């Protein structure tokens, strides 16, 4: 996808993740629902975000779940949390998109309307016979976010349910049932600095109606959302192939991949809902926004090698820096 064909709203609402010219892992948490102004537009008004990729991304999720149903799993003790998550997401959609989304409560039942999807569903909370799918599957087919549910017990958080179709170099099926600390074991530098321990303590203090958010980022090749370890044979070799393409193809193929991660304490179950919304913007589109181009170049050039390796782009990091520098030299 070239810069000319990137939908304008995808640039206007892109959550560029860098506040400075260097990057290190941090909790970087801030209250949700606060608008962030950027040189291209703004983002962050709501916990859930729908853009021009809505229909295509939901279709992609359905295809992934059809070929690999393990991408959605709910351990038995988390079924109440799945209902809690569904209702909370319906409320967030209603808040963000009142013209097309609506949740009404009528005499012990709920009526959910999603005009974008042509859905009008009456259901009884907690009664699976009143929904066409399990609650997490039903709402997961209406939001672009991946959904992870964390149970809090024994002084820790555990990943015990979720619907994750767009993982970035990790496996939801492998992580299911693991603790928050165990899952982050392979991440370089974070344990020495105490970032993960601090993050877990913060999450365990989350209060209902006070969601927070953070960003994460990487580079990836191609406009591919599903970078799970299960599909590595499909996308892993692309990271080497991109070294041999011409400059125009490199700028179109290499993407800045940003996750906006929302953290929400569910009011009924007390579990923590972790939402992951993935955004992709090709370098050629990033380079058209001068402050983004210069900052990304600085961050990539300074990033320690072990972090670039963990994020999966060490092989083509230097070329990305050179490519961005060349765009700077020819800018008017």
């Amino acid at each position: 996808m070239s810069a000319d064909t990137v939908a304008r709203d995808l640039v206007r609402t892109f959550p560029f993740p860098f506040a400075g010219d260097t990057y290190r892992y941090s909790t970087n948490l801030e209250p949700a629902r606060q608008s962030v102004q950027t040189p291209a537009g703004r983002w962050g008004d709501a916990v859930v975000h729908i853009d021009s990729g809505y229909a295509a991304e939901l279709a992609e999720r359905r295809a992934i779940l059809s070929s690999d149903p393990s991408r959605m799993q709910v351990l038995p003790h988390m079924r109440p949390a799945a209902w809690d998550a569904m209702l909370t997401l319906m409320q967030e959609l209603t808040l963000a998109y009142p013209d097309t989304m609506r949740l009404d409560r009528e005499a012990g039942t709920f009526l959910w309307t999603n005009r974008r999807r042509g859905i009008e569903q009456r259901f009884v909370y907690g009664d699976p016979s009143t929904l066409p799918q399990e609650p997490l599957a039903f709402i997961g087919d209406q939001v672009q976010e991946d959904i992870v549910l964390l149970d809090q017990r024994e002084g820790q958080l555990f990943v015990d349910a979720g619907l994750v179709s767009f993982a970035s170099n990790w496996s939801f099926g492998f992580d299911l049932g693991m603790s928050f600390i165990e899952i982050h074991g392979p991440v370089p530098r974070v344990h020495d600095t105490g970032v993960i321990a601090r993050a877990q303590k913060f999450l365990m203090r989350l209060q209902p109606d006070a969601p927070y958010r953070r960003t994460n980022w990487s580079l990836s090749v191609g406009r591919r959302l599903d970078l799970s370890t299960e599909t590595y044979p499909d996308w892993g070799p692309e990271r080497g192939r991109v070294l041999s393409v011409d400059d125009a193809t490199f700028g179109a193929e290499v993407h800045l991949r940003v996750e906006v991660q929302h953290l929400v304490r569910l009011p009924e179950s007390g579990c923590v809902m972790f939402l992951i919304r993935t955004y992709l913007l090709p370098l050629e589109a990033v380079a058209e926004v001068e402050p983004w181009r210069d900052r990304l170049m600085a961050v990539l050039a300074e990033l320690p090698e072990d972090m670039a390796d963990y994020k999966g782009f060490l092989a083509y990091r230097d070329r990305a820096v050179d490519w961005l520098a060349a765009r700077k030299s020819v800018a008017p």
Side-chain angles (χ1 to χ4, degrees):
M1 182 180 292
S2 71
D4 292 337
T5 59
V6 174
R8 290 183 179 180
D9 73 300
L10 301 185
V11 178
R12 190 173 62 249
T13 62
F14 187 74
F16 189 77
F18 306 116
D21 289 346
T22 62
Y23 173 84
R24 295 295 185 273
Y25 291 115
S26 68
T27 52
N28 73 312
L29 288 159
E30 62 183 10
R33 303 194 189 104
Q34 294 188 2
S35 180
V36 178
Q37 301 295 321
T38 76
R42 71 179 192 181
W43 66 275
D45 296 338
V47 169
V48 288
H49 177 220
I50 292 173
D51 60 25
S52 58
Y54 186 64
E57 290 185 18
L58 294 185
E60 185 173 348
R61 172 171 289 152
R62 286 192 292 272
I64 291 168
L65 288 172
S66 177
S67 63
D68 184 3
S70 73
R71 303 296 188 91
M72 191 198 82
Q73 298 190 59
V74 179
L75 296 184
H77 69 282
M78 294 294 283
R79 287 170 185 155
W83 282 94
D84 201 358
M86 182 188 77
L87 199 68
T88 299
L89 284 167
M90 288 175 175
Q91 292 166 341
E92 291 293 344
L93 285 165
T94 300
L95 181 66
Y97 302 101
D99 293 341
T100 55
M101 311 284 185
R102 184 180 177 92
L103 181 66
D104 295 299
R105 187 166 192 170
E106 304 172 353
T109 67
F110 288 93
L111 178 62
W112 169 244
T113 303
N114 178 343
R115 293 193 180 91
R116 290 176 182 262
R117 291 291 320 281
I119 293 171
E120 189 170 281
Q121 181 69 42
R122 191 177 301 276
F123 64 92
V124 176
Y125 187 84
D127 182 351
S129 69
T130 60
L131 285 178
Q133 301 166 277
E134 293 184 43
L136 212 56
F138 182 68
I139 196 61
D141 196 30
Q142 300 178 62
V143 294
Q144 288 167 265
E145 287 79 4
D146 279 333
I147 307 164
V148 178
L149 303 181
L150 297 92
D151 189 26
Q152 184 169 327
R153 63 181 186 274
E154 304 168 4
Q156 294 191 73
L157 295 169
F158 294 84
V159 172
D160 284 349
L163 191 167
V164 180
S165 53
F166 305 141
S168 180
N169 204 19
W170 63 285
S171 166
F172 168 70
F174 180 81
D175 289 350
L176 186 71
M178 294 176 64
S179 73
F180 185 80
I181 299 294
E182 288 174 319
I183 288 169
H184 291 89
V187 183
R189 298 174 181 252
V190 295
H191 298 285
D192 292 342
T193 60
V195 168
I196 297 303
R198 290 197 304 273
Q200 178 169 255
K201 288 179 181 178
F202 181 90
L203 293 177
M204 293 174 69
R205 294 194 299 267
L206 272 178
Q207 297 298 310
D209 300 321
Y212 275 71
R213 72 182 178 213
R214 67 183 299 273
T215 58
N216 194 17
W217 71 279
S218 185
L219 297 182
S220 61
V221 178
R223 193 166 185 81
R224 183 187 178 97
L225 286 166
D226 179 17
L227 296 182
S228 62
T229 53
E230 290 90 339
T231 59
Y232 179 82
D234 298 329
W235 56 266
E238 294 297 295
R239 297 188 296 187
R241 182 192 62 79
V242 79
L243 286 170
S244 62
V245 301
D246 59 34
D247 276 354
T249 304
F250 186 87
E253 285 291 309
V254 176
H255 286 68
L256 176 57
R257 181 184 179 107
V258 178
E259 295 176 354
V260 176
Q261 304 171 350
H262 277 91
L263 307 152
V264 182
R265 174 73 71 179
L266 297 175
E268 297 296 326
S269 64
C271 293
V272 174
M273 179 168 64
F274 182 52
L275 300 174
I276 309 168
R277 176 69 156 84
T278 302
Y279 299 83
L280 292 166
L281 201 63
L283 287 190
E284 60 183 6
V286 173
E288 290 187 354
V289 183
E290 182 178 348
W292 289 358
R293 178 199 65 206
D294 295 347
R295 177 145 290 170
L296 179 58
M297 180 178 65
V299 167
L300 292 177
E302 193 278 337
L303 193 71
E305 185 171 301
D306 60 339
M307 294 177 66
D309 187 37
Y310 177 76
K311 286 179 175 291
F313 57 80
L314 180 60
Y316 58 91
R317 184 260 295 270
D318 290 345
R319 184 169 182 191
V321 172
D322 292 343
W323 189 94
L324 290 164
R327 304 288 86 67
K328 183 176 182 177
S329 66
V330 301

